Amino acid sequence: QVQLVESGGGLVQPGGSLRLSCAASGTFFRINVMGWYRQAPGKERELVATITSGGWTNYADSVKGRFTISRDNAKNTVYLQMNSLKPEDTAVYVCNAKTVLPTQNYWGQGTQVTVSS
């Protein structure tokens, strides 16, 4: 089992920055992929960014050049640095972790990010 605890959400003005963190704990062999998804009111959950244990990253087109995902494998923690935030980035951001041996998918509780003046 893996527990994911997110932190770092909040209210920020357009153009501002926030940094999200997600720490994984529990009993597992290895976490292969960690990432962030988001869900805005009335919309489906969408991928924001993912990162593998080897450091390969993938971003949604809407956040490329503004968001940066990083990871500390020793701490089983993933970060999302969000810059140049826009009102359309407002959503609940949810952390995700995919383990191997066995292959399982875990989700955090989510943290609210609101971009508004």
Side-chain angles (χ1 to χ4, degrees), residues 29-80:
F29 176 67
R30 183 168 65 88
I31 297 176
N32 182 24
V33 182
M34 298 189 79
W36 292 94
Y37 292 72
R38 66 187 181 186
Q39 188 165 16
K43 295 187 177 181
E44 294 186 354
R45 183 175 292 183
E46 62 176 2
L47 178 145
V48 177
T50 59
I51 184 169
T52 69
S53 57
W56 290 97
T57 59
N58 180 47
Y59 293 93
D61 288 342
S62 59
V63 306
K64 284 181 180 177
R66 300 188 298 122
F67 292 10
T68 302
I69 190 169
S70 60
R71 177 173 175 173
D72 185 333
N73 290 327
K75 296 181 179 179
N76 291 309
T77 299
V78 64
Y79 307 95
L80 185 68

Side-chain angles (χ1 to χ4, degrees), residues 83-105:
N83 299 328
S84 302
L85 282 160
K86 304 175 181 180
E88 50 263 44
D89 294 317
T90 296
V92 175
Y93 284 69
V94 185
C95 179
N96 174 263
K98 296 178 173 60
T99 63
V100 294
L101 300 178
T103 299
Q104 291 189 332
N105 203 24

